Amino acid sequence: MTLHLYDSATRQIRPLDPVVPGRVGIYHCGLTVQGPPHIGHIRKEVVFDVLRRWLERAGYDVRIVANVTDIDDKIIAKGAENGEPWFAVAYRNERALHAAYEVLGCEPPTYEPRATGHVPEMIEMMETLIARGHAYPAQDGSGDVYFDVRSWPPYGELSNQSIEDMQEAPDAPADGKRDPRDFALWKGRKEEEPESASWPTPWGRGRPGWHLECSAMAAKYLGPEFDIHGGGLDLRFPHHENELAQSRAAGQPFARVWMHNAMLNLGSSKMSKSVGNTLTVAEVVKRVPAIALRYYLVAAHYRSIIEYSEESLAEAATTMSRIEGFVTRAASLVGRCDGGEIPPAFAEAMDDDLSVPAALAVVQDTVASGQRLLGHGASDDLRAALGSVRAMLDVLGLDPLDPHWAGSRDHGPAQAALGALVQQLLDHRAEARAAKDFAAADRIRDQLTTAGIAIEDTPQGARWTVKEDR
């Protein structure tokens, strides 16, 4: 099968048809680095990491560009609040983003351009838009430059809105705009802002608007037309709508497919720094192994909302521990089995708009089959099951035998060993219960309780945690 993806622009699942055969160019909007990344941010990174892994396994040369927005109102305000340069705030949080990539096993982007490093490209794009009649410098002397939304009739096509139904753009006062819905390509420097946060242009000193920087950098690194533009669903309007309008108005075909992942919610609200309901990656991986957090972020379909809860995170950790237990025990019997075969059902699920839940069902079925083989010792069937499980987990970035997880777990090798041993005992307990040997099952539970392991039986299987009051 050919990979099919849901295109947010056409609202249809379409086959991927690369601009250049054999190569896939992807741009997804990176972090505005006014703070460290929370797990809502990093969900997008994990989604596109899985996409990349699947495309590369299919033989594509994948080029991913994810920008860093290292200059904006919030970064400047945070620097002033902390009494430090704005660029110190940006750099500190950019490093936190890289640490989150690393801890969750995400390959870094092919290119990761900073907005501040691409001002010449932005100025050139503004000059093109002005010459084509789609942008204008403000007449109030502010140094702002605006995109004229009424000059571009398709404006609103990505979010399926008409201009008349839109609210005014909040990025600058309406005084210097022809229409209050015109958005800022460039923001003139204000007296109270540091001069270091501005660059000279034909219209005065200032800094880029958020939308302009992405269009300029996507074109520089991927060309005027590329395959996939992605990001969180909350960016579809106004950010991606504005990118699409200004790029096409400048004569660029831009993205063939728009791919948006749904939000990760906390208390039914989008996880957001502005409302304080955030869980940073660095904090969450103190409570569960990083591989379990990655499993949690991968397990739902990328277009489905995740409603965060500690219970669902713990359940993901238990499931991942069970998979890891099988891989560890099987590998001890038959070796690592690198280079296994991908089952057709897994491939079919992944080609169907990255249907990871269906793909994980194949993983679980194969693990269950492999568990039944463990009691018979080494065999060709066990070797094939382990190879297939590892091949599928590799696509999802969840192979516990990958050197990344062996060397970079925040919980360390001791936690990995504990998880494997506990899971082995839980598997024996499950076998005893299935055989109605309840005395043996109770003995195993008592052993774990004495060791400080709390067991909770659920419809999905036994969950375990280390008791905190020991």
Side-chain angles (χ1 to χ4, degrees):
M1 282 183 65
T2 300
L3 174 63
H4 288 67
L5 293 171
Y6 181 81
D7 177 21
S8 298
T10 62
R11 295 161 186 79
Q12 295 178 339
I13 293 180
R14 302 169 49 204
L16 180 65
D17 179 23
V19 176
V20 179
R23 179 188 300 171
V24 177
I26 303 171
Y27 186 96
H28 61 84
C29 291
L31 197 63
T32 299
V33 285
Q34 84 265 22
H38 56 63
I39 61 174
H41 292 131
I42 214 69
R43 182 188 187 188
K44 184 261 299 180
E45 312 302 335
V46 171
V47 165
F48 282 93
D49 188 62
V50 170
L51 174 62
R52 175 191 206 163
R53 288 166 179 264
W54 184 237
L55 287 169
E56 288 179 340
R57 180 170 279 270
Y60 287 100
D61 172 16
V62 182
R63 301 182 184 186
I64 292 187
V65 179
N67 68 296
V68 173
T69 297
D70 60 339
I71 181 70
D72 85 332
D73 294 343
K74 294 176 182 177
I75 294 172
I76 294 172
K78 184 68 73 174
E81 177 185 330
N82 295 348
E84 62 180 329
W86 60 271
F87 46 80
V89 173
Y91 183 57
R92 179 172 62 252
N93 292 310
E94 183 181 342
R95 293 185 67 185
L97 174 62
H98 293 160
Y101 278 145
E102 172 65 20
V103 76
L104 289 181
C106 295
E107 289 292 322
T110 313
Y111 310 111
E112 194 175 26
R114 295 174 178 155
T116 54
H118 296 80
V119 170
E121 290 86 354
M122 298 177 206
I123 293 174
E124 183 178 355
M125 190 168 195
M126 284 189 287
E127 290 175 334
T128 298
L129 288 169
I130 291 171
R132 286 172 166 251
H134 297 300
Y136 59 93
Q139 300 303 305
D140 58 3
S142 63
D144 294 348
V145 180
Y146 299 115
F147 183 87
D148 184 346
V149 296
R150 291 192 179 277
S151 76
W152 186 247
Y155 187 69
E157 61 184 317
L158 182 60
S159 55
N160 196 27
Q161 299 183 80
S162 70
I163 292 178
E164 306 305 330
D165 295 333
M166 296 178 188
Q167 296 179 341
E168 63 183 64
D171 52 8
D175 299 349
K177 298 181 179 181
R178 295 174 182 170
D179 186 294
R181 284 152 288 212
D182 292 348
F183 59 86
L185 299 169
W186 191 260
K187 295 184 176 184
R189 176 177 174 263
K190 299 177 178 62
E191 188 63 33
E192 67 273 15
E193 294 177 347
E195 188 166 355
S196 62
S198 66
W199 289 262
T201 76
W203 315 283
R205 293 192 69 87
R207 56 187 171 80
W210 180 30
H211 317 300
L212 177 68
E213 63 185 55
C214 285
S215 285
M217 289 186 283
K220 175 162 184 171
Y221 293 99
L222 294 174
E225 183 178 19
F226 55 95
D227 300 303
I228 300 170
H229 193 312
L233 187 60
D234 58 332
L235 299 183
R236 184 171 60 180
F237 185 86
H239 184 47
H240 291 165
E241 188 75 71
N242 293 349
E243 280 187 68
L244 177 62
Q246 66 199 9
S247 292
R248 289 197 172 163
Q252 300 171 8
F254 211 52
R256 287 192 171 186
V257 173
W258 288 85
M259 183 177 171
H260 290 101
N261 62 276
M263 299 296 96
L264 192 154
N265 291 346
L266 180 61
S268 298
S269 299
K270 184 190 80 170
M271 196 168 290
S272 166
K273 298 188 185 79
S274 61
V275 296
N277 58 351
T278 63
L279 290 163
T280 65
V281 173
E283 288 300 317
V284 174
V285 297
K286 292 178 182 177
R287 303 199 295 278
V288 297
I291 195 171
L293 176 56
R294 181 174 175 115
Y295 181 95
Y296 177 66
L297 296 174
V298 160
H301 192 278
Y302 76 91
R303 289 194 286 120
S304 298
I305 293 172
I306 297 177
E307 296 288 353
Y308 176 83
S309 71
E310 289 292 326
E311 292 76 16
S312 59
L313 180 63
E315 184 176 312
T318 297
T319 302
M320 188 63 228
S321 179
R322 187 177 298 113
I323 294 171
E324 188 169 5
F326 164 73
V327 170
T328 303
R329 291 173 61 194
S332 70
L333 292 172
V334 299
R336 292 174 56 91
C337 297
D338 297 316
E341 295 293 324
I342 293 283
F346 181 94
E348 183 177 347
M350 294 299 292
D351 280 337
D352 182 16
D353 194 31
L354 292 187
S355 186
V356 172
L360 277 172
V362 182
V363 175
Q364 298 284 9
D365 288 346
T366 311
V367 168
S369 299
Q371 293 276 22
R372 292 191 287 271
L373 297 168
L374 286 172
H376 304 292
S379 67
D380 289 343
D381 287 343
L382 180 59
R383 186 174 292 105
L386 175 60
S388 289
V389 168
R390 288 198 62 207
M392 292 184 284
L393 293 176
D394 180 64
V395 170
L396 303 176
L398 294 170
D399 179 9
L401 299 186
D402 186 296
H404 170 81
W405 299 117
S408 65
R409 287 176 181 272
D410 277 4
H411 284 227
Q415 180 73 13
L418 173 64
L421 291 171
V422 171
Q423 190 59 51
Q424 186 170 356
L425 286 171
L426 289 177
D427 291 341
H428 289 323
R429 177 173 174 262
E431 291 166 4
R433 295 178 73 184
K436 300 189 184 303
D437 187 354
F438 298 111
D442 288 345
R443 282 196 300 273
I444 294 172
R445 184 185 186 111
D446 291 344
Q447 289 173 345
L448 290 168
T449 301
T450 301
I453 304 297
I455 304 300
E456 177 188 1
D457 289 312
T458 75
Q460 292 77 35
R463 286 168 43 179
W464 67 273
T465 54
V466 178
K467 291 189 286 190
E468 299 292 338
D469 55 352
R470 282 182 54 79

